[in-house]
Amino acid sequence: MKSLNFNHLRYFWAVAHEGSLTRAAERLNLSQSALSVQIHKLEHQMGHQLFDRVGKRLVLTEAGQIALDYADSVFSAGDELMSTLEGRPADKRQVLRVGALTTLSRNFQLEFLRPLIGRSDVELIVRSGTMRDLLAQLEAHAIDVVLSNSAALRDSRTPFRNHLLSDQAVSLVGRPRPDGPRFRFPEDMRTEPVLLPSLDSDIRVAFDRLMDLAGIRPIIVAEVDDMAMLRLFARESSGLTLVPPIVVRDELSSAVLTEYYRMPRLTESFYAITQQRRFPNRLLGELLARYENSDPNTSAPA
């Protein structure tokens, strides 16, 4: 069994955190060439390349990100020792890095991550962003999974894997009107103010198609690309809001909002996007396993 050279590991750790051979060499008071030799020795010992050079930047490979996680743990061992001697529990946690579209339902994110929330051995890092930015982070191994309501395009260079987690129903919801007439779809859409997702949303495209087929031009009072904001608008507006019920689940259960119409054959899909890795994250595997044998046409497991 090979034994790890911790001096080499510390040099790698410094370069990984600095993101630059030059800055790390200055910090360690070494020449760049000497530091580069030590990194190559560590890579040879581990049998894996730890960095890719992108322009002038050093970017961690998948093996490099795993090595950095372990190096962080190794070099925090002194703090853990002091914690133990002082009667405080040592912090030995696994890390899961999650990227989620800025516009994605917060309730759905919560349901996906719920099994890990509150676990003392788990640290969750959740980042929001655009699809393009998050996929770039996934490809660079900076995050482990992207949560999205659309699948990622695949090609030979970036073989992303789209895990369909759930197909959620889409409804028209609004504040209760106990004395009002019964809502009729699509007839009442001629006079009913409506709040809609933005034009780049799949469910908006499908809704617009339904309206076109019915010959109706709806009265649009707001177009919102953020589901959290759409939820707030639904609470405040006197009109109806097109939204997956999971987004306003709490409002529906507390009767702040009511479901006026469940849209036929109209759903929003939720995906976990990953890429094939030689060293998969075990925490992510636990989460995805919950969906392997479930029906995607039902709500996400609670």
Side-chain angles (χ1 to χ4, degrees), residues 12-24:
F12 157 75
W13 183 70
V15 174
H17 278 288
E18 292 291 344
S20 163
L21 202 64
T22 301
R23 290 196 298 270

Side-chain angles (χ1 to χ4, degrees), residues 7-16 21 24 28 30 32-46 48-51 58:
N7 284 329
H8 295 165
L9 186 66
R10 181 172 288 278
Y11 294 146
F12 157 75
W13 183 70
V15 174
L21 202 64
L28 296 169
L30 292 172
Q32 289 189 48
S33 59
L35 184 56
S36 180
V37 168
Q38 302 306 313
I39 298 299
H40 285 310
K41 286 182 177 180
L42 180 63
E43 290 179 324
H44 177 74
Q45 186 180 27
M46 290 186 168
H48 294 283
Q49 185 177 339
L50 301 177
F51 293 103
L58 290 177

Side-chain angles (χ1 to χ4, degrees), residues 205-220:
V205 172
F207 177 80
D208 286 348
R209 187 180 301 117
L210 285 175
M211 293 295 95
D212 287 342
L213 291 173
I216 294 174
R217 178 173 293 181
I219 304 170
I220 302 173

Side-chain angles (χ1 to χ4, degrees), residues 58 66 95 152 158 170 177 217 270 274-275 279:
L58 290 177
I66 292 171
V95 178
T158 52
V170 177
R177 305 170 186 172
R217 178 173 293 181
F270 293 90
T274 64
Q275 62 176 348
F279 312 102

Side-chain angles (χ1 to χ4, degrees), residues 75 77 86 131-132 175-176 192 213 224 277:
F75 296 121
E86 293 172 4
M131 185 71 135
R132 180 178 179 179
R175 294 192 305 202
E192 186 70 51
L213 291 173
V224 184
R277 291 191 173 181

Side-chain angles (χ1 to χ4, degrees), residues 169-233:
V170 177
S171 300
L172 287 166
V173 305
R175 294 192 305 202
R177 305 170 186 172
D179 300 325
R182 182 175 177 272
F183 177 75
R184 301 169 305 154
F185 183 89
E187 294 84 358
D188 288 348
M189 295 308 301
R190 300 181 189 277
T191 57
E192 186 70 51
V194 63
L195 295 86
L196 299 173
S198 60
L199 289 168
D200 57 359
S201 164
D202 290 342
I203 60 175
R204 169 63 185 278
V205 172
F207 177 80
D208 286 348
R209 187 180 301 117
L210 285 175
M211 293 295 95
D212 287 342
L213 291 173
I216 294 174
R217 178 173 293 181
I219 304 170
I220 302 173
V221 296
E223 297 180 352
V224 184
D225 65 358
D226 187 310
M227 284 296 173
M229 183 59 70
L230 193 59
R231 172 189 179 186
L232 295 178
F233 274 38

Side-chain angles (χ1 to χ4, degrees), residues 2 5 7-8 16 20 33 50 79 105 123 128 138 166 168 197 208 240 242 275 278 285:
K2 297 179 181 178
N5 186 311
N7 284 329
H8 295 165
S20 163
S33 59
L50 301 177
D79 291 337
S105 163
E123 178 181 356
S128 298
L138 180 64
S166 179
Q168 294 284 324
D208 286 348
L240 299 183
L242 182 73
Q275 62 176 348
R278 297 178 63 184

Side-chain angles (χ1 to χ4, degrees), residues 37-231:
V37 168
Q38 302 306 313
I39 298 299
H40 285 310
K41 286 182 177 180
L42 180 63
E43 290 179 324
H44 177 74
Q45 186 180 27
M46 290 186 168
H48 294 283
Q49 185 177 339
L50 301 177
F51 293 103
D52 282 327
R53 184 172 290 279
V54 179
K56 296 182 179 180
R57 296 186 301 114
L58 290 177
V59 178
L60 288 168
T61 63
E62 180 185 354
Q65 183 62 61
I66 292 171
L68 179 59
D69 288 341
Y70 277 96
D72 284 338
S73 298
V74 167
F75 296 121
S76 67
D79 291 337
E80 294 177 3
L81 173 61
M82 293 305 297
S83 296
T84 300
L85 294 177
E86 293 172 4
R88 294 182 285 114
D91 182 16
K92 292 184 176 292
R93 292 180 293 175
Q94 306 172 74
V95 178
L96 179 65
R97 298 176 177 85
V98 180
L101 287 190
T102 305
T103 58
L104 193 65
S105 163
R106 305 300 192 267
N107 282 340
F108 185 81
Q109 295 178 47
L110 182 63
E111 289 296 339
F112 181 74
L113 297 172
R114 189 181 298 280
L116 302 182
I117 296 174
R119 277 180 48 173
S120 60
D121 63 330
V122 171
E123 178 181 356
L124 287 173
I125 299 174
V126 182
R127 301 168 180 163
S128 298
T130 65
M131 185 71 135
R132 180 178 179 179
D133 290 342
L134 293 176
L135 290 181
Q137 291 183 53
L138 180 64
E139 193 174 1
H141 312 292
I143 55 179
D144 300 300
V145 62
V146 174
L147 299 181
S148 170
N149 51 7
S150 61
L153 297 178
R154 301 178 57 185
D155 56 40
S156 59
R157 192 181 68 85
T158 52
F160 296 120
R161 300 181 62 187
N162 297 299
H163 306 265
L164 178 60
L165 304 180
S166 179
D167 278 327
Q168 294 284 324
V170 177
S171 300
L172 287 166
V173 305
R175 294 192 305 202
R177 305 170 186 172
D179 300 325
R182 182 175 177 272
F183 177 75
R184 301 169 305 154
F185 183 89
E187 294 84 358
D188 288 348
M189 295 308 301
R190 300 181 189 277
T191 57
E192 186 70 51
V194 63
L195 295 86
L196 299 173
S198 60
L199 289 168
D200 57 359
S201 164
D202 290 342
I203 60 175
R204 169 63 185 278
V205 172
F207 177 80
D208 286 348
R209 187 180 301 117
L210 285 175
M211 293 295 95
D212 287 342
L213 291 173
I216 294 174
R217 178 173 293 181
I219 304 170
I220 302 173
V221 296
E223 297 180 352
V224 184
D225 65 358
D226 187 310
M227 284 296 173
M229 183 59 70
L230 193 59
R231 172 189 179 186

